[in-house]
C-alpha cells in the first residue's frame, strides 16, 4: 500500500500521457481463430491432450517436431486447467524457447494476454514468463514496448500498483484508461486487472471523508460494466473502500445514494435474509451501511407520518428522533406503516430513487387504526418501538421476551405494543416524555443528545 500511495502522491509523470484510442483486441482474436484456408475455427481438441503432447516433446527436447497446430496453442497450454504447463520449469523453458525460435509477434502477443489474464505475482512460473516478455516486447515497435518501460508492465511487483495509480489519477473514465493499456473488457477482471483493482480499493479504504469522494467515484465506474458490478472476487474489498472512509462522517447525500445504489444493485439489501454476498463482509463494515439505511428509513418514517399525523403531536416526535439520527446514534431502524401511510411511503421512495427495502407494514385488523405506524429503532442493545399519533413508545432491553425482529414485511400491531416498558408521549411542550426516554437510552447505552436539540423547528 505504501508503494501505491507514493505513486499517487509523488509521481505525476506516470500520468503525463495521452490516453490513446483503445486497442481492438476481440476482433484480432476472432480473426486468429479462423484457419487460413477458410475451413473454419481452429480444432476444439481438448487442451489437456495438447498439453500432454507438448510436455512429452519438451521433456524429450524435441518440441520442433510437434505439429504446428499444437505449437500455436502454447500460450493457452501454459495456463489452462487441468495441466497448466507454466508450473513445470523444464516444460516452460522449452516452450518459451520454441516461441523464441519461431519469432512470431502474434505468439508473443498471445503470451502477453495470458500474462494479463492469469497474473499472480507470487507464482514462480508467471515471474519467469514476465522476465521473458520484458526482453521480447522490446523487439517490436508496438504499445507493449512503451508500456513495459513506463508502467514496468512485465515486473509483477510493480505493474498492478502502477495501473492502480494511473487509473485513480487519470481524468479519462477508468475503463477507457485500462483499455488504452491493453486491459480491455474481456481481460479487465483477469488476474492483473483484479490485482490492480484490489490495490486501488485498499488505497481508497485508507482515505477519510471528503478526500475519498473522487477516488470512490472512479472505483464505482471501474467496477461497473454491462452489469452493476463486475469485480465479484473483490466484493469485500470494494465494500470496505466504499464504506470505511465514512466511519466518522456522513457522505454528501448524492454521493451516499450512488454508493448505496451500487451496493444494493449487486448484493441486495443486507437486512434481507439469504444475502450471500453480504455474508462475506465484516459486521463492522456492514454496520456503516446499515446506519445509512437506518437514516433513510427514519427520515422516510418522519416524512410519511407527517402527512397523516397532527402537526402539534408530530413535530416534537420528529425533533427528538432527528437529534439521535444526526448524531449517528441510531444503529438500525425499520418501519411498519399503517395502510393509510403505505401509499405515501411507496411514492416517496420512488421519488427519492432509494433502493432496497425501507419498510414493512402493520397488518390490518390487529388493533390499530389505518393511520397509525410504528418506528422500530435500535440504539446499542435497546430496541424502541415508537407508535405514531397517540400511541405509546415501547422499550425492550436485551433478553426480554416478546422483542420484535427488525426487517419483517408484516407485523401484528399487538406484538409491537407489548414491551415491559410502555409509556405515553405526555408533556411534549415541556419535554417530559423526551427526558424520560432520553434517560433510559443514556442509562442503558451511554448515548446522549443535548436536550436543546429536541426543540421543534419553528
Amino acid at each position: 500500500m505504501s508503494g501505491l500511495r507514493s505513486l499517487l502522491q509523488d509521481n505525476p509523470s506516470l500520468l503525463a500521457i495521452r490516453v490513446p484510442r483503445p486497442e481492438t483486441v476481440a476482433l484480432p482474436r476472432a480473426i486468429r481463430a479462423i484457419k487460413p484456408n477458410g475451413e473454419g475455427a481452429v480444432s476444439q481438441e481438448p487442451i489437456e491432450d495438447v498439453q500432454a503432447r507438448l510436455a512429452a516433446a519438451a521433456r524429450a527436447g524435441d518440441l520442433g517436431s510437434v505439429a504446428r497446430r499444437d505449437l500455436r496453442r502454447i500460450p493457452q497450454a501454459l495456463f489452462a486447467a487441468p495441466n497448466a504447463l507454466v508450473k513445470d520449469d523444464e516444460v516452460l523453458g522449452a516452450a518459451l524457447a520454441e516461441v523464441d525460435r519461431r519469432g512470431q509477434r502474434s505468439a508473443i502477443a498471445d503470451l502477453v494476454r495470458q500474462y494479463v489474464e492469469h497474473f499472480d505475482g507470487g507464482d514462480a512460473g508467471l515471474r519467469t514468463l514476465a522476465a521473458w516478455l520484458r526482453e521480447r516486447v522490446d523487439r517490436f515497435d508496438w504499445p507493449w514496448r512503451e508500456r513495459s518501460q513506463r508502467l514496468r508492465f512485465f515486473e509483477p511487483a510493480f505493474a498492478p500498483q502502477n495501473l492502480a495509480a494511473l487509473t485513480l489519477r487519470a481524468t479519462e473514465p477508468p475503463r477507457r484508461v485500462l483499455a488504452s493499456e491493453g486491459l480491455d473488457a474481456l481481460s479487465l477482471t483477469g488476474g492483473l486487472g483484479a490485482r490492480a483493482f484490489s490495490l486501488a480499493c485498499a488505497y481508497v479504504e485508507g482515505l477519510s471523508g471528503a478526500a475519498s469522494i473522487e477516488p470512490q467515484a472512479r472505483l464505482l465506474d471501474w467496477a461497473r460494466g454491462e452489469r452493476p458490478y463486475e469485480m465479484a472476487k473483490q466484493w469485500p474489498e470494494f465494500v470496505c473502500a466504499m464504506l470505511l472512509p465514512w466511519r466518522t462522517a456522513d457522505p454528501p447525500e448524492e454521493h451516499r445514494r450512488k454508493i448505496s445504489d451500487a451496493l444494493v444493485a449487486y448484493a441486495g439489501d443486507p437486512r434481507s435474509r439469504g444475502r450471500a454476498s453480504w455474508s462475506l463482509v465484516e459486521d463492522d463494515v456492514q454496520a456503516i451501511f446499515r446506519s445509512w439505511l437506518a437514516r433513510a428509513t427514519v427520515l422516510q418514517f418522519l416524512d410519511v407520518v407527517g402527512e397523516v399525523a397532527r402537526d402539534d403531536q408530530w413535530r416534537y416526535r420528529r425533533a427528538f428522533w432527528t437529534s439521535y439520527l444526526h448524531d449517528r446514534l441510531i444503529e438500525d431502524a425499520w418501519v411498519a406503516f399503517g395502510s393509510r401511510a403505505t401509499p405515501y411511503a411507496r411514492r416517496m421512495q420512488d421519488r427519492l430513487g432509494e433502493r432496497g427495502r425501507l419498510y414493512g407494514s402493520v397488518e390490518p385488523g390487529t388493533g390499530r387504526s389505518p393511520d397509525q405506524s410504528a418506528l422500530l429503532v435500535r440504539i446499542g442493545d435497546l430496541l424502541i418501538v415508537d407508535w405514531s399519533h397517540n400511541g405509546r413508545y415501547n422499550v425492550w432491553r436485551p433478553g426480554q421476551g416478546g422483542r420484535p425482529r427488525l426487517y419483517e414485511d408484516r407485523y401484528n400491531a399487538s406484538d409491537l405494543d407489548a414491551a415491559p416498558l410502555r409509556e405515553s408521549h405526555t408533556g411534549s411542550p415541556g419535554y417530559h416524555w423526551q427526558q424520560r426516554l432520553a434517560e433510559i437510552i443514556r442509562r442503558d447505552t451511554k448515548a446522549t443528545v443535548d436536550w436543546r436539540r429536541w426543540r421543534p423547528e419553528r
Side-chain angles (χ1 to χ4, degrees), residues 412-434:
N412 186 305
S414 61
D415 293 338
L416 300 180
D417 195 23
L421 174 59
R422 299 167 60 242
E423 295 190 352
S424 300
H425 299 89
T426 56
S428 290
Y431 309 116
H432 295 163
W433 70 263
Q434 295 97 316

Side-chain angles (χ1 to χ4, degrees), residues 197-272:
F197 185 77
S198 291
L199 289 173
C201 287
Y203 170 77
V204 175
E205 177 187 328
L207 300 176
S208 180
S212 70
I213 292 177
E214 179 57 28
Q216 285 183 331
R218 294 193 66 77
L219 277 182
L220 284 167
D221 286 345
W222 188 342
R224 185 187 302 115
E226 294 181 2
R227 299 185 298 277
Y229 179 77
E230 293 191 343
M231 312 298 288
K233 292 182 179 178
Q234 287 71 44
W235 166 248
E237 299 162 75
F238 176 72
V239 176
C240 288
M242 292 295 105
L243 299 179
L244 288 179
W246 303 105
R247 280 169 289 209
T248 59
D250 288 323
E253 194 64 20
E254 182 179 354
H255 188 62
R256 179 199 65 78
R257 188 168 290 128
K258 287 180 180 178
I259 295 175
S260 296
D261 285 354
L263 299 182
V264 172
Y266 174 70
D269 191 319
R271 300 173 300 185
S272 301

Side-chain angles (χ1 to χ4, degrees), residues 84-226:
L85 301 183
V86 73
K87 299 184 180 302
D88 188 313
D89 292 344
E90 179 184 4
V91 175
L92 174 61
L96 293 178
E98 180 60 26
V99 174
D100 219 6
R101 185 185 70 79
R102 292 165 64 84
Q104 294 178 323
R105 191 171 88 161
S106 60
I108 296 174
D110 283 342
L111 285 169
V112 169
R113 277 185 284 277
Q114 295 294 325
Y115 168 80
V116 169
E117 177 65 26
H118 298 282
F119 181 89
D120 178 353
D123 184 83
L126 184 125
R127 293 199 302 271
T128 297
L129 173 62
W132 185 91
L133 286 170
R134 191 161 62 246
E135 296 181 6
R136 275 41 179 205
V137 297
D138 280 345
R139 294 178 179 177
F140 308 102
D141 183 17
W142 60 341
W144 290 116
R145 179 167 64 184
E146 190 271 338
R147 291 170 189 146
S148 178
Q149 297 167 359
R150 175 172 50 85
L151 294 172
R152 304 177 75 171
F153 200 95
F154 300 104
E155 298 178 57
F158 296 99
Q161 69 180 28
N162 286 340
L163 280 169
L166 174 67
T167 307
L168 286 178
R169 289 280 300 275
T171 57
E172 296 283 346
R175 285 175 173 250
R176 184 176 178 189
V177 173
L178 291 162
S180 74
E181 302 298 350
L183 277 69
D184 66 348
L186 296 175
S187 59
L188 194 63
T189 59
L192 182 54
R195 180 59 181 156
F197 185 77
S198 291
L199 289 173
C201 287
Y203 170 77
V204 175
E205 177 187 328
L207 300 176
S208 180
S212 70
I213 292 177
E214 179 57 28
Q216 285 183 331
R218 294 193 66 77
L219 277 182
L220 284 167
D221 286 345
W222 188 342
R224 185 187 302 115
E226 294 181 2

Side-chain angles (χ1 to χ4, degrees), residues 356-368:
R357 297 167 61 244
L358 294 184
Y359 59 86
S361 61
V362 178
E363 293 182 354
T366 58
R368 283 292 183 275

